[in-house]
Amino acid sequence: MRQPHEVFLDYLRRRNLNMTPQRAVIVETFLATEGHFSCEELCTMVRKADAAIGQATVYRTLKLLVDSGLAEPLLAGEGPVLYEHSYGHGHHDHLVCLNCNGKIEIVDQVIEDQQEQLAREHGFTLTRHSMILYGLCPRCQNSDHRKD
Amino acid sequence: MRQPHEVFLDYLRRRNLNMTPQRAVIVETFLATEGHFSCEELCTMVRKADAAIGQATVYRTLKLLVDSGLAEPLLAGEGPVLYEHSYGHGHHDHLVCLNCNGKIEIVDQVIEDQQEQLAREHGFTLTRHSMILYGLCPRCQNSDHRKD
DNA sequence: TTTTATGCAAAACTTTTGCAGCGGG
DNA sequence: CCCGCTGCAAAAGTTTTGCATAAAA
């Protein structure tokens, strides 16, 4: 399997864009960060490596990462858009706890197949999808630490 | 089945809030509007009925509508959050065309059941979910009017 | 009279854009 | 030399908040 770094370089080449020191730092930081984070948060982490990198550059580069297929936005609603890297993770959906905000990755082939089937019935060609299940995780069901 | 109007009044009572002329106009306009719309758009429509109603009041009331279960936010990503009324429509998910932005409502019992099953496997108690399938609708697959 | 609602304008928050200057091919 | 890249700061788009006033309980 091709390394994410390679994937990004190929993408830049295809788009006639250049690798730059800033982009290198941002991509490296992005790949080294697990979990879900906003662009603002990525920005903060990038600046630990190089404080001179502008916020706009991080936004612009994250957009390239999404376009290249390495990053995926998680549209959960409130606040800023969260991202995660899709490289080496495979596709997955999310189970989100409404209380502690914890996120579990889930995959279900039955659902994936059914989604394709549904799209076909309506003549759609599917590109991607987003499925988020909201509820209470086991811990929060039994704890008194409810937000409400 | 209880009328949406009643549902809202009950909600207000439960929260010790009052029905007001402004809220009445906003709820009425909201219920009379089909499809998906942003709060800004609702605001414009509300003002056709009463130009003196402030934008903040519309935002505040729409929040109450969501809380009361009459309105549902559709978290599709770009731009403002879109809403629809959930009263009398039953639960459904969406098939969204990436080109023309058209939205089709879909329901699939197999998927719904599987979601419950998945949640159970992880010990989650599900409250709600959001599933959006993105792709190209039949019209846009065959047309030259692509955005890109 | 005490609480709740409202409208306005300002603020907040996230993301995008304009622009002048820099730098690599 | 040209074109892309960058940082900065300003702008844009959407939603929330503070506050003084008005209305309701």
Side-chain angles (χ1 to χ4, degrees):
Chain A
M1 203 179 194
R2 243 146 82 269
Q3 288 307 300
H5 191 248
E6 291 297 319
V7 173
F8 192 61
L9 285 178
D10 279 358
Y11 168 79
L12 291 180
R13 268 192 285 277
R14 238 177 304 124
R15 298 269 316 255
N16 268 86
L17 302 174
N18 309 311
M19 179 48 97
T20 66
Q22 289 91 336
R23 284 178 182 163
V25 171
I26 294 167
V27 171
E28 211 178 310
T29 306
F30 167 76
L31 292 170
T33 307
E34 289 300 328
H36 306 96
F37 46 87
S38 66
C39 194
E40 238 4 276
E41 286 165 345
L42 178 61
C43 202
T44 302
M45 292 184 288
V46 161
R47 279 172 165 160
K48 283 180 186 156
D50 181 345
I53 294 180
Q55 167 216 45
T57 302
V58 178
Y59 272 90
R60 287 187 275 233
T61 304
L62 189 43
K63 211 165 250 199
L64 297 180
L65 283 164
V66 169
D67 209 38
S68 73
L70 289 178
E72 196 153 327
L74 172 66
L75 305 168
E78 302 277 292
V81 178
L82 300 184
Y83 297 85
E84 61 186 353
H85 31 118
S86 34
Y87 178 82
H89 285 230
H91 164 71
H92 59 262
D93 297 300
H94 295 90
L95 201 44
V96 179
C97 178
L98 291 168
N99 183 236
C100 69
N101 212 29
K103 298 179 182 65
I104 293 179
E105 301 185 355
I106 51 177
V107 197
D108 185 290
Q109 200 50 49
V110 173
I111 290 180
E112 301 286 321
D113 292 346
Q114 203 68 16
Q115 287 171 334
E116 274 300 339
Q117 172 63 26
L118 263 173
R120 215 167 324 144
E121 281 168 20
H122 288 87
F124 266 64
T125 308
L126 278 197
T127 304
R128 62 197 172 83
H129 70 257
S130 141
M131 181 175 89
I132 306 179
L133 311 183
Y134 300 92
L136 284 179
C137 70
R139 271 170 54 98
C140 291
Q141 283 170 56
N142 303 316
S143 102
D144 288 329
H145 307 307
R146 304 279 169 80
K147 269 184 193 165
D148 244 75
Chain B
M1 203 179 193
R2 244 145 80 268
Q3 289 307 300
H5 191 246
E6 292 295 317
V7 173
F8 192 61
L9 285 178
D10 279 0
Y11 168 79
L12 291 180
R13 267 193 285 276
R14 240 177 301 124
R15 297 269 315 255
N16 269 85
L17 302 173
N18 308 313
M19 178 48 97
T20 66
Q22 289 90 338
R23 285 179 181 161
V25 170
I26 294 167
V27 171
E28 211 178 308
T29 307
F30 167 75
L31 292 170
T33 307
E34 289 300 327
H36 306 96
F37 45 87
S38 65
C39 193
E40 239 2 279
E41 286 165 345
L42 178 61
C43 202
T44 303
M45 294 184 288
V46 161
R47 280 172 164 159
K48 283 180 188 157
D50 181 346
I53 294 180
Q55 167 215 46
T57 302
V58 178
Y59 272 90
R60 288 187 276 232
T61 304
L62 188 44
K63 210 166 251 198
L64 297 181
L65 283 164
V66 170
D67 209 37
S68 74
L70 288 177
E72 197 154 324
L74 172 66
L75 304 168
E78 303 276 293
V81 178
L82 300 184
Y83 297 84
E84 62 186 351
H85 32 117
S86 33
Y87 178 82
H89 284 231
H91 164 72
H92 59 261
D93 297 300
H94 293 91
L95 202 44
V96 178
C97 178
L98 291 169
N99 183 235
C100 69
N101 212 31
K103 298 177 183 67
I104 293 179
E105 301 186 355
I106 50 176
V107 196
D108 186 290
Q109 200 50 49
V110 173
I111 290 180
E112 301 286 320
D113 292 346
Q114 203 69 16
Q115 287 172 334
E116 274 301 337
Q117 172 63 25
L118 264 173
R120 214 166 328 150
E121 281 168 19
H122 289 86
F124 267 64
T125 309
L126 278 198
T127 303
R128 62 195 172 82
H129 70 257
S130 140
M131 180 174 89
I132 305 179
L133 310 183
Y134 299 92
L136 284 180
C137 71
R139 271 171 53 98
C140 291
Q141 284 169 55
N142 303 315
S143 102
D144 289 328
H145 308 307
R146 304 278 170 83
K147 268 185 191 164
D148 246 75

